[in-house]
Every structure is written in C-alpha cells, then in structure tokens.
Amino acid sequence: MKYMKKYILIPILSVLMLLNTSCDDYLDVNTNIDSPDYIEDYLYLSGIQQSFQDVFYDLTYAILPMISMWSSTQTTYGYYYGNHYYPQSVDTGALIWRTIYWNHGMNLENLIHQALNAKRYHLAGIGYAIKAYGWDMLTKVYGEVPLKQAFDNERVLFDYDYQPDIYDAVRVWAYKAIEYMDMDDSTNYGAEITSNDWIYKGDIDKWRKFAYGVLVRNLSSLSNKSDFTTKYADELINAATKALQSYTDDAMVEVAGGSGSVPYTGYNNFWGTQRGNLSTIYYQHDYMVQLMTGTIPKYDVDGKRVKQDNPSNPYYQYELLEQQYITDTLVHLTGHYDPRVAVKLSTDSDPEYLGIDDPEIVKSYEYYGGQNNTTRTNPGGQVTTPHLYGRTVAVKNSTTTLPNDGIGRWIFRDNAPYVLMTAAEIKLCLAEAYWKKGDITNAYNAFKAAIRADLDFTVSLLYPATKGVVGGGDKITKSVYDKFADEYYAGPYVEGLGENNLTLSHIMMQKFVALYPWGGIEAWTDLRKYHYDINYTNGYPSKGNGWDDTRLIEVKRDEDPNKVFKGYFLGAARDIEFRNVAYNIYNDGSPCYRIRPRYNSEYMWNIESLEKLKPIAGTAPDYHCSIPWFAYPDEYPTN
C-alpha cells in the first residue's frame, strides 16, 4: 500500500520468543540481581495490571471515533478510524495486541505456573481471571489470533486460531480462575498481593465475581446468534448471578496521579490533563449528546432533521423522535432529568462553576457534540463543541496558572482509575439475555438494577469543581447529583417505565450509556453483533444486501421496530444528514468489523499465516471488514 509506516516498534511474538527461551546457557550466565532470570510470582502482578492503561490508547485513537462515541479532528488516525478505514502498515489500534502478547505474555504465564507449583491457588486464580479478561478483549478487537502456539519458543511462524476455539479457551480460563479461588489456600501472603493488586487489593471474593463477569461478557457477545437461547443464555444468567452485583464490585485499576510532580508521566491517567492526549483533538459525538439529553431527532423521508415551526426552546429547534429511550431533559419535569449527562458529557455552560450546587442551573446546561466522526463542528453549527474537560479554549493543565482545567474531571482526570468492568454492564447483559428468552419480568428487574448501579458508579468518581474557581472539575455537586439520581430512578425511564414497555432498545441504549467511554470495546461488540442496524435480509449484511458499489450503506430508520440503536447511523448511511459519506474504496462498501493485527509483529514476521485466514485473508485490503464469528448468526460462511 502507498502508506509508509510512521514508526517501528519491536516485533512482539518474535522478541517474545527470544526473551522467553528455556533456562539454557544464555540465562545461566545471568547473575545480575537487577535483571534476574527468575522473580517471585506476586511481583508480576503490579506491572500486568498497570499495563491495562494501553487499552486506552486504542480506545482513544481508534475505537471511540469509529463507534460514534467521540469525534476527532486528528487528520491521521482519528480520520481513518472515524471513517471505518485505516492503512494496513500502521500499529495504531493494535496496542492491545502488544499488551496481551507482550506486557502480559510470559509475565502472566509465569505468574500462573509459579503460583500453581507453589500451591498458591488464590494468586493463580487471579492470574487466570486476568488472562481470561485479556484474551476475551483481544479476540473481540482482532478476531482470529494465535492462541495454541502463541508461546511456543520453538516456532518462527504462528498459526491463527479461529474464534470458536478462542471463546472456549476464555471460558475455560475463567472457570479455572473460579476453581482455584474456591480452593483452600493456606498461604500467608502478607502484603504480597495487597501491595501489588491495584484492582481489588487481594479481595478474592471480588476477584471471583470478576471471573464470572468475564463469562458474562464473553457469552453476551453471542446474544444475536441463532442458538443463543438454547446454548448460551442459561450459562450467562447463572454467571451473572455470581458476578459483580453493585458499584462497590466495579473493577478499576488504581492510578497514583500526581500531575506534574511525578517522575514518570505514566503515573497519571492517559485521559488526564497532564499527559495531553485529549487536548483539543477528541470531542464527544453528537449521538452521545442526543442519546443522553433525550434529543434524538426525527428525520424526514429525505434524511434531514425536521425543523420546528415555532420552537419553544432555542437550544433545540428540531422535532424529536416520538419516543426517547434514556431521558428527555428538555421536559423540565421531576424524574425526567438524568444527572449522568452532567458528569459523563462535557459542557461549556457555567464556565465559572457558580451554579454547580443549584439544581435549576445544572438542569439548564447545554451540550453539543461533533456532527460526524471526524469533526468538532456540531449539528447546530453555531457553537463549537467543547473539549472533554468542559471548555472550548485550549486545554491547560494544573501546572499552568488559572484559569485552567486543573487535573481534569470524572474519569478524564490525572488520578482517575482505569475502568475495566462494572456491575451496571453485567446487569444489562443479564437483562438482554432474559429479554431474548422472553422473560420480561426478570429482564426488567435486571434493567432497573443496572441503571441504579450505573448511577452509583458515575457519582463514585465525581470530582466537583471549586465553586467560582476556573480550575477544572465536574460541574455538579454530589448532593445535587444524588437528588436528581433518586428522582430519575423513580421516574418514567426506569421504575415508571413498566415492564410492558421495556424493549431491546431500552436495554442496549442504556448499556451504550453505561459503557461510555471506558467500555468502548464492548459497545463496539454490541454494535457489530447487531450489524450497526444495517438494513439487510437473511443472516448478515453483505455487498448487494446492505451496501453496493456506491459504498453507501442502507440503514434501518428509527421507525423500524427491529432497529436496536435508535438515532444511530454510520458515517456512510445513505441520505442521512451529516452522514452520507462513502467509505474508502478498500472497504468495498462495508463498515469496519475488526482491527488488523499488529503490523510490526504479524505483517512483518507472520504474514504467511495471515494469508491463510478465511473467509477473508488477513492480507486482503478489506480484511478489517471481515465479520467475526460472534456476529454471524450461525458458523462462518463456506465461501
């Protein structure tokens, strides 16, 4: 291809083979105590967990712009991924590949095997839980990956395994984790685990719930397969009853923070102000704004929004879809306002933070998002979308003089944790499974529990600003949030909805909100398993059955009862305002369904194995459009 690689990174699998050879003469000469050939099992744990920050690179640069959670003005990767295409010869979007094969890699294998040999079963269980989580994420992002041969140091080429085998392996490891954590472990760990476990501080009960959560995630991605209710649903339901139950179980990697006072920038969260990764390049997408403010517009037959003749609110001048699914903040009635919007989304309203403790001022905030995946311009056109810290001007961190953005806000903060899994997500997976089985009563109960859990999760990371000081932070106090949260839960979108009104759209769109933006991989998985609500017939979309030579995509309109994500339209959606942009010619009309394996590993060193992949070869220009197995209703097609 015409694109040159921008930088070269160490080939993962090849170097991994070099550094993980058996203890032969090469390692026998290693007597340097600062670089030992053997370390204690528990010492692996800290580095393995902290490497989860790498996931947030791929979320930022690739996945969030691709799924319309964020828009991006970055002219290279943000533009590529926002348009569902990216050049083959780059590593952007493939840091998760490096994380699982290298950062975890033999470090995690050694942790598990050494712990088992020493009968330190609880530590081994933690290792297996992390392994199951990592490989579940890996295959959802990249599809087929080398598994059986991955750590065979006698090989120079690695065969790819197909998703059914990888999915089975993930569940085997998750159950092994549970098995070992259920075993008696008489080890006196002291501080060995608690000082190195940045997620649960050695709480085995919570780690057990985490392992069950991995099972739920794994099985939930199969919910649109034809045999889900007979083969997978009951296992998911059983696991969910033993997985994360409330926000106190949520899995988050603690981050030290310290802003400019720490010796290494990595001590700060990737999304904090100090590291400057968000700055003025990434913005919330207009779909997130429409969803969380209850302003999903009505589109006319020509695909344009329908403008009101006499709008009562100048903030929003277009007719709305008759049914909103999360909230309707333009209706100023008790219980209609969802306070998560004031935390999860950014606004440049109240720039001096004077009204953060006034419910009426908070309720009046205005929100804007980029009108497509690759721009900061919002659909109104008259207001610039604010950056993710809440202002329209350039980002300034805590080391600069006021006014600035301080250390950030919510999870966009120097000392915010990295979120891995929440009880809200698990409960919504459970609600979907019950809904698919036709058990609406239990689906509704799980749905309500999920929203309560996400309301609690959201406020647990609140970082309110100082009133009247332009120095960053959230624009709502905890007391105001709690008031609104209780009213919202009791209102028409949760308890007042009623099980007879519950739809699959309610469940999946609430899950989209709950996953924003830390859970972008799972949100992308949901979009792909429902095929982005493309209008197609039979099992799955394909050329001539969802898109054609024009490279525009036929999409379900919001009036279609079978459309899951109301208001969501791909960038190439035909005749939809602010979309309607043909995909790259290499896509052959299709949206992106996977990210290519890491270039400086697989395309330089393992290309023979990539060429063998089916139904689309890994070297094909449209390999990133190859539908993964979890999204097929049945098995892989034969052609």
Side-chain angles (χ1 to χ4, degrees):
M1 297 177 64
K2 64 181 180 180
Y3 298 97
M4 298 295 291
K5 55 183 179 290
K6 190 174 181 180
Y7 44 79
I8 296 177
L9 298 177
I10 299 171
I12 297 167
L13 292 180
S14 300
V15 176
L16 186 143
M17 290 188 298
L18 172 63
L19 296 185
N20 292 291
T21 54
S22 57
C23 294
D24 53 19
D25 291 342
Y26 171 74
L27 289 180
D28 288 341
V29 300
N30 184 356
T31 58
N32 182 352
I33 61 172
D34 294 321
S35 184
D37 60 350
Y38 177 88
I39 64 172
E40 297 296 331
D41 48 16
Y42 68 92
L43 292 175
Y44 288 106
L45 190 59
S46 179
I48 288 169
Q49 292 185 358
Q50 288 295 332
S51 69
F52 274 122
Q53 71 168 286
D54 290 351
V55 174
F56 289 75
Y57 284 75
D58 287 350
L59 281 173
T60 303
Y61 299 138
I63 296 171
L64 295 177
M66 187 161 54
I67 66 173
S68 302
M69 278 191 170
W70 287 358
S71 63
S72 173
T73 57
Q74 189 182 42
T75 56
T76 53
Y77 305 122
Y79 177 82
Y80 292 144
Y81 283 97
N83 284 322
H84 280 236
Y85 166 77
Y86 55 99
Q88 181 173 317
S89 55
V90 297
D91 280 338
T92 303
L95 202 58
I96 292 170
W97 185 280
R98 184 182 189 276
T99 299
I100 302 307
Y101 281 115
W102 180 248
N103 296 71
H104 290 190
M106 283 306 298
N107 295 312
L108 185 52
E109 297 300 301
N110 288 343
L111 182 156
I112 292 170
H113 296 141
Q114 288 175 210
L116 288 177
N117 288 337
K119 298 182 179 180
R120 292 155 64 88
Y121 298 121
H122 288 177
L123 180 58
I126 292 173
Y128 268 120
I130 293 173
K131 183 174 183 178
Y133 179 95
W135 282 78
D136 182 67
M137 174 174 59
L138 181 77
T139 191
K140 285 174 178 173
V141 173
Y142 306 106
E144 281 62 58
V145 298
L147 186 152
K148 299 182 181 71
Q149 299 173 355
F151 304 117
D152 182 348
N153 57 26
E154 300 297 323
R155 304 188 65 85
V156 294
L157 294 176
F158 299 85
D159 293 339
Y160 276 67
D161 295 281
Y162 284 83
Q163 267 201 339
D165 291 336
I166 301 165
Y167 264 61
D168 287 345
V170 166
R171 293 197 292 275
V172 167
W173 294 330
Y175 282 121
K176 278 184 176 291
I178 295 162
E179 175 188 348
Y180 286 123
M181 285 187 277
D182 283 344
M183 293 175 66
D184 290 333
D185 187 342
S186 58
T187 306
N188 180 12
Y189 288 102
E192 289 178 354
I193 297 183
T194 55
S195 296
N196 291 281
D197 179 4
W198 299 98
I199 300 175
Y200 288 134
K201 299 300 181 185
D203 188 327
I204 296 301
D205 288 338
K206 289 186 177 181
W207 273 111
R208 186 183 294 107
K209 292 178 181 179
F210 179 85
Y212 277 114
V214 174
L215 290 168
V216 172
R217 273 186 159 195
N218 180 272
L219 295 163
S220 179
S221 65
L222 306 176
S223 66
N224 207 33
K225 294 187 82 68
S226 58
D227 57 356
F228 173 74
T229 57
T230 58
K231 189 174 182 180
Y232 302 111
D234 289 341
E235 185 179 3
L236 186 158
I237 291 168
N238 178 65
T241 61
K242 301 172 183 177
L244 287 63
Q245 298 300 311
S246 75
Y247 79 100
T248 59
D249 294 330
D250 292 348
M252 297 182 278
V253 180
E254 181 182 335
V255 173
S259 301
S261 66
V262 293
Y264 301 104
T265 184
Y267 283 26
N268 294 303
N269 189 294
F270 184 80
W271 284 342
T273 62
Q274 185 65 33
R275 294 177 68 172
N277 293 311
L278 301 184
S279 60
T280 52
I281 298 176
Y282 295 95
Y283 307 91
Q284 62 207 15
H285 195 279
D286 74 344
Y287 179 65
M288 290 308 308
V289 173
Q290 293 167 3
L291 189 62
M292 294 196 66
T293 58
T295 56
I296 298 174
K298 180 189 293 183
Y299 292 90
D300 209 338
V301 291
D302 62 359
K304 295 186 182 299
R305 295 169 300 165
V306 180
K307 195 164 185 176
Q308 299 181 52
D309 292 331
N310 297 296
S312 58
N313 189 331
Y315 165 50
Y316 205 81
Q317 303 179 26
Y318 296 88
E319 291 188 24
L320 302 181
L321 196 65
E322 284 80 359
Q323 182 178 7
Q324 300 293 321
Y325 288 79
I326 304 298
T327 184
D328 50 1
T329 55
L330 299 185
V331 178
H332 291 281
L333 298 175
T334 300
H336 288 247
Y337 179 81
D338 180 353
R340 293 176 296 178
V341 70
V343 183
K344 295 193 177 192
L345 297 188
S346 66
T347 177
D348 61 354
S349 296
D350 194 16
E352 296 181 345
Y353 304 92
L354 295 173
I356 63 174
D357 57 354
D358 186 326
E360 291 307 310
I361 291 178
V362 170
K363 203 186 285 189
S364 69
Y365 290 165
E366 296 181 359
Y367 300 88
Y368 299 90
Q371 67 186 14
N372 62 44
N373 298 34
T374 59
T375 184
R376 184 180 186 179
T377 304
N378 67 78
Q382 76 280 15
V383 177
T384 302
T385 300
H387 61 55
L388 291 161
Y389 306 113
R391 295 195 295 146
T392 58
V393 298
V395 175
K396 296 181 180 179
N397 62 35
S398 61
T399 62
T400 60
T401 58
L402 292 174
N404 60 39
D405 295 289
I407 64 172
R409 65 174 192 86
W410 196 48
I411 61 173
F412 313 111
R413 175 167 41 94
D414 289 346
N415 60 351
Y418 294 112
V419 185
L420 303 183
M421 183 190 298
T422 68
E425 172 195 357
I426 299 303
K427 295 291 185 183
L428 286 162
C429 292
L430 178 62
E432 182 191 15
Y434 275 130
W435 194 91
K436 288 291 181 82
K437 284 174 64 72
D439 187 345
I440 306 303
T441 297
N442 276 320
Y444 184 49
N445 289 334
F447 171 81
K448 291 187 293 182
I451 298 172
R452 181 75 262 178
D454 194 53
L455 288 165
D456 292 341
F457 156 74
T458 303
V459 74
S460 72
L461 297 173
L462 194 68
Y463 183 71
T466 300
K467 187 174 180 178
V469 177
V470 187
D474 290 300
K475 294 182 177 180
I476 185 172
T477 62
K478 185 178 186 301
S479 60
V480 172
Y481 179 96
D482 287 342
K483 171 184 180 296
F484 281 140
D486 289 342
E487 292 174 351
Y488 175 72
Y489 184 80
Y493 288 93
V494 191
E495 282 197 321
L497 178 65
E499 68 178 68
N500 291 333
N501 295 316
L502 181 69
T503 67
L504 184 60
S505 291
H506 284 100
I507 295 168
M508 300 311 300
M509 292 165 73
Q510 281 282 1
K511 188 179 178 186
F512 203 79
V513 169
L515 291 169
Y516 177 82
W518 61 270
I521 294 171
E522 289 301 305
W524 185 31
T525 299
D526 287 338
L527 287 171
R528 288 177 291 166
K529 75 184 183 186
Y530 288 114
H531 296 290
Y532 298 102
D533 279 315
I534 295 170
N535 192 19
Y536 65 98
T537 57
N538 301 321
Y540 52 90
S542 58
K543 190 172 183 179
N545 186 24
W547 57 83
D548 52 34
D549 287 333
T550 66
R551 308 198 311 277
L552 291 172
I553 294 174
E554 301 295 338
V555 293
K556 296 174 184 174
R557 298 299 176 105
D558 291 326
E559 295 76 17
D560 187 334
N562 294 315
K563 181 172 181 177
V564 177
F565 295 92
K566 307 294 187 181
Y568 187 93
F569 297 103
L570 288 167
R574 186 186 301 277
D575 297 331
I576 298 295
E577 190 175 19
F578 303 128
R579 308 298 188 257
N580 201 44
V581 178
Y583 282 150
N584 189 287
I585 190 171
Y586 289 118
N587 284 47
D588 203 22
S590 171
C592 183
Y593 273 91
R594 65 175 73 202
I595 292 177
R596 291 179 184 275
R598 191 169 178 83
Y599 174 75
N600 276 295
S601 166
E602 302 307 288
Y603 286 91
M604 291 186 69
W605 304 93
N606 204 32
I607 198 163
E608 292 179 29
S609 297
L610 279 169
E611 290 173 341
K612 298 176 184 177
L613 288 173
K614 296 181 182 300
I616 299 177
T619 53
D622 62 341
Y623 177 64
H624 58 291
C625 300
S626 182
I627 299 174
W629 169 79
F630 74 75
Y632 281 107
D634 300 305
E635 298 304 315
Y636 281 120
T638 56
N639 58 352

